[in-house]
Amino acid sequence: MQRPLAASLLIVLAVTGCSRADPPDTTPPAAPTGLTAVSGSSTTVHVMWRAATDDRAVTGYQVLQDGRPVKDLPATTLMTDVTGLAPGTRHAFAVRARDAAGNTSPATPAATATTLRATAEDREPPTAPRTLRAAPDGTTAATLAWTASRDDTRVTAYDVYQAGVRVHTAPGTATTARLTGLRPGTAYSFTLRARDAAENSSPDSPPADLTTAPAPGAPANTSPLALTATSAHGEITLTWTPPDTGAPVTHHELHIDGRFATTVVWGTAPPAGRATYAFPAQVPPGTVLTLTLRARLPDGTWGDFSAPRTVTVR
């Protein structure tokens, strides 16, 4: 009896699939670059590096302290705190990358840091940094500058936050920082906290906004400008300046914690200048929310998101 055609095709396809198996991955990633190690307290060192590259994909990083592995981190993490160190001790840190096949890169050149000496009990935080300024540095970087904080002992570190997440740590003697790995044509909002040797952190600085330069050939930024968010009596109030599109902007889309929340639509002509919108928080007091806004442009497409704003519900 003649074999069914479908069965014959299935066998051919199965054999063909076996013959196209990918070769094993034996190429290790390149070593990470730009490693820094900064001690901000008597027991902690903050380690940062720039992403490694691989012929397929980097899947994680291993942090070494004095030649011994102390942390394994996912590929999306490019900084970490090494804690539990002894006061006044010097350590050497390095990082190596790994891929899905288990290949590991060479370790970076070591970066050394000495933990601060232990001091008497200190419960007083530094003052908040003042006059934080942010300026784009091309399409993927930014430069921050600020006025130094004051402390009853001394400031040992400055922590940079973006949308409530720490993205950079600078030494306590610094008043500038350069941030890399940003996206072209994107609005950002940064805040800064000062920290002392006892890990007391200052209040946040006022936010500093910037928009990175667009990629070559990309349209100009079309995000709502100068978004502010306040909360009182369980209600959140937003104010912003719509983008200048040459025509009235009647629709804005609000996202909370990265998810769509509502569309703000003006029933009549939109207000001139600053716009305001208030809504009930519908979450418990003390909850911290991250808000972004974008406008619908005259051609019907949605513009860029505003710089994010965090607000604590009160």
Side-chain angles (χ1 to χ4, degrees):
M1 183 173 64
Q2 185 178 6
R3 178 180 297 172
L5 179 59
S8 301
L9 286 174
L10 183 61
I11 294 171
V12 171
L13 289 172
V15 173
T16 303
C18 292
S19 66
R20 293 179 181 175
D22 291 333
D25 180 7
T26 59
T27 303
T33 58
L35 181 71
T36 60
V38 176
S39 177
S41 75
S42 58
T43 60
T44 302
V45 170
H46 185 69
V47 183
M48 294 189 297
W49 60 93
R50 288 195 288 271
T53 58
D54 186 61
D55 61 334
R56 298 190 183 179
V58 172
T59 59
Y61 295 98
Q62 186 176 67
V63 180
L64 309 176
Q65 175 194 326
D66 301 323
R68 303 186 314 276
V70 292
K71 281 195 173 185
D72 287 298
L73 302 166
T76 53
T77 300
L78 299 177
M79 66 181 195
T80 189
D81 287 322
V82 179
T83 60
L85 305 176
T89 57
R90 185 174 183 269
H91 299 279
F93 299 90
V95 177
R96 56 192 178 199
R98 66 175 182 274
D99 62 20
N103 302 306
T104 59
S105 75
T108 61
T112 60
T114 300
T115 54
L116 304 177
R117 296 190 178 279
T119 58
E121 185 175 9
D122 177 9
R123 296 185 178 180
E124 183 174 342
T127 61
R130 295 179 292 116
T131 61
L132 178 65
R133 301 175 299 280
D137 184 1
T139 59
T140 61
T143 299
L144 305 184
W146 60 90
T147 302
S149 298
R150 299 185 304 276
D151 188 59
D152 60 332
T153 55
R154 69 185 176 100
V155 174
T156 58
Y158 288 97
D159 296 320
V160 180
Y161 286 80
Q162 194 265 321
V165 178
R166 185 174 61 170
V167 296
H168 187 83
T169 293
T173 54
T175 54
T176 62
R178 187 172 187 270
L179 309 181
T180 59
L182 306 181
R183 297 189 301 275
T186 302
Y188 289 92
S189 181
F190 298 101
T191 56
L192 191 69
R193 297 176 195 169
R195 186 158 39 97
D196 63 21
E199 298 284 10
N200 300 308
S201 289
S202 74
D204 284 349
S205 70
D209 296 342
L210 66 87
T211 300
T212 51
N221 181 269
T222 54
S223 65
L225 306 176
L227 176 68
T228 64
T230 58
S231 178
H233 309 297
E235 186 174 80
I236 295 174
T237 301
L238 303 180
T239 61
W240 69 93
T241 301
D244 184 5
T245 63
V249 176
T250 59
H251 291 63
H252 289 81
E253 191 176 77
L254 173 64
H255 286 230
I256 301 177
D257 293 338
R259 298 185 297 273
F260 170 77
T262 189
T263 301
V264 182
V265 182
W266 306 116
T268 58
R274 299 284 287 171
T276 300
Y277 173 68
F279 61 98
Q282 298 181 337
V283 292
T287 303
V288 178
L289 302 175
T290 299
L291 312 173
T292 53
L293 199 69
R294 63 179 180 175
R296 194 172 74 180
L297 308 180
D299 64 0
T301 61
W302 290 99
D304 303 304
F305 279 105
S306 67
R309 284 286 180 263
T310 57
V311 62
T312 302
V313 176
R314 304 188 188 283

